[in-house]
Amino acid sequence: MSGLPVEVRRPHVRLTRLAFENFRNYASLQLRLDGRHVCLYGANGAGKTNLIEAVSMLSPGRGLRGAEFTDLIRCDPEGRLAHNWALSADVRDGDVDRRLSLALELDEQGKSKRTARLDGAPTTQNDLAELMRIIWLTPSMDRVFVGPASDRRKFLDRQVMAHFPSHGAFSAAYEKAMRQRNALLEQGRSDPAWLDAIELGMASAGAAMAIHRVDAVRMMQAAILARPEGAFPKALIDLNGEQETQAANGMPLTDIEQEIVARLRENRAKDQAVGRTLEGVHRTDLRVVHAPKGLPADQCSTGEQKALLMGLILANAQALFERDFAPSPLLLLDEAAAHLDSDRRAALYDELAALGGQAWLTGTDRSLFDAFGDRAQRFEVSDGVVREG
Ligand SMILES: Nc1ncnc2c1ncn2[C@@H]1O[C@H](COP(=O)(O)OP(=O)(O)OP(=O)(O)O)[C@@H](O)[C@H]1O
Ligand SMILES: [Mg+2]
C-alpha cells in the first residue's frame, strides 16, 4: 500500500472539437477547442445562442430552447430549407477521446427523430445521457420562480437528469402512460385490466422520478450550503409533492409505487370528470427560498431572483463535479454575464475557473469577458461565422 490518497474522481469532460452543418443560421462550422472555458461574443442575432443550443443538443431532450428538431434545420437567406442538420463533437472524457455524431432523421410519415452515434456505432439516448451531463441557464429562465410550476418542474428535472440520466426516460415513460390513461378515461372505456397496466407503468416511473428528485435536491442543497458567502445568495430548496415527501421520509420504492397505484385507482372518477390526472409527480413543485432574507424566491427582486438562479446552477454544477464515477457536466450560460455588475462578473469567472470543466458563455461584447483573463478561449460570432480571437 502506497499510503497515497486514491483518486477516484474522474477528470473533467470537455469538448475538444465541435462541428455542425445546416444548423439554425450556420451553413457549417468547425471549432477547435483547447479545453479552457469558452466565451462567445458578437452582435444580437449573430448566432451565439444557436451555437450553445447545438452543444445542448448533445444530451437527450430538445435542448436549451426546447425546440422541435425540424426547426433547427437551416433556412438560408433566400428562404430555402436545407435537407437536414448534423452535429459532431469530440469529447474528452478523462484520458479517453470519444466522437459523438448526431443527425436528424425523418421517417416516411415526416416524423423527426435524432439519431446518435458514439465512435461510429449507433448509441442510445441513455448512453448519450450517461456521457453528456449538460446544464444551462438562459434568459428565458429568469422568471422561473414567478412562472407556472411546470417551468420550475422542467428546470428541476433538467438538474436531476444531469445526476441521474435515466430520469429522462422515466419522465418520458410517465408522461406517455399518463396520456394513455387520460385518453382511456376520456373515451369512457371500462377496461380495468388495461387501466391497471397503464397505472402500474405510471407508478413505477413516478416512484423512480420522486426518488431521483429527492436525491438530487439533497445533493444540490448540500452543495449550496457548502458554498462560501459571496456574489450569489444561498437558497433553501425543497420539493412540494406527495411522492417526494414519501421518498424523503425513506419510504422504499415499491411502497411508493403501491401508493401511486392506489391513488390513481381511487381518483379515476374524479380524473375522468376533469379530463386529466389531478395528482402525481407531474404536479410536483420546487420551492426556493432566498436564505439570507428568508423570503420565497417569487417575492424577491428581479436581480435577486437572477442571482439566486445563478447560485443554484453553480451549486448544482459543484454537486455534479463532486460525484465520483460520474462524468462532469458542461455548463452553458447564455447572456449570464451582461446583467452582472463587474464584481459579480469577476466572482462568476473565478468560480468557474475553480470548478474547472468547460463552461460556455455568451455576451454581446468581448469586454464582458475581460476578467476571465487567459482562463477562457474567446470566439467572435458574426452572422453564423465564428472566428477565434
Ligand atoms: N432554422 C433557422 N435557419 C436560419 N436562421 C435561423 C434559424 N433559426 C434561427 N435563426 C436565426 O439565427 C439568428 C441568430 O440567433 P441567435 O439566437 O443565435 O442570436 P444571438 O447571437 O444569440 O443573438 P442575441 O444577442 O440577440 O441573443 C437569428 O437571426 C435567428 O433568426
Ligand atoms: Mg442569444
Side-chain angles (χ1 to χ4, degrees), residues 24-25 42-51 65 71-76 334-335 364 381:
R24 295 280 194 193
N25 66 327
N44 294 133
K48 305 176 298 294
T49 304
N50 291 347
L51 205 163
R65 281 192 174 106
D71 288 346
L72 304 174
I73 302 175
R74 177 172 184 257
C75 182
D76 74 13
D334 194 19
E335 280 178 50
T364 45
V381 182

Side-chain angles (χ1 to χ4, degrees), residues 282-297:
H282 60 290
R283 303 297 305 274
T284 298
D285 200 354
L286 175 71
R287 283 188 297 220
V288 179
V289 169
H290 187 293
K293 299 206 155 183
L295 258 190

Side-chain angles (χ1 to χ4, degrees), residues 103-119:
L104 175 75
E105 226 168 63
L106 295 171
D107 66 15
E108 283 103 58
Q109 287 93 47
K111 267 188 85 178
S112 59
K113 159 167 126 186
R114 174 180 47 183
T115 57
R117 300 178 86 82
L118 188 57
D119 299 329

Side-chain angles (χ1 to χ4, degrees), residues 77-132:
E78 282 75 49
R80 283 184 304 249
L81 205 60
H83 176 60
N84 206 342
W85 55 260
L87 291 178
S88 123
D90 288 349
V91 184
R92 180 154 302 159
D93 178 14
D95 321 325
V96 185
D97 288 312
R98 317 293 306 262
R99 176 156 292 188
L100 197 55
S101 335
L102 303 179
L104 175 75
E105 226 168 63
L106 295 171
D107 66 15
E108 283 103 58
Q109 287 93 47
K111 267 188 85 178
S112 59
K113 159 167 126 186
R114 174 180 47 183
T115 57
R117 300 178 86 82
L118 188 57
D119 299 329
T123 187
T124 62
Q125 295 290 304
N126 218 45
D127 287 345
L128 200 61
E130 280 292 343
L131 176 64
M132 301 305 300

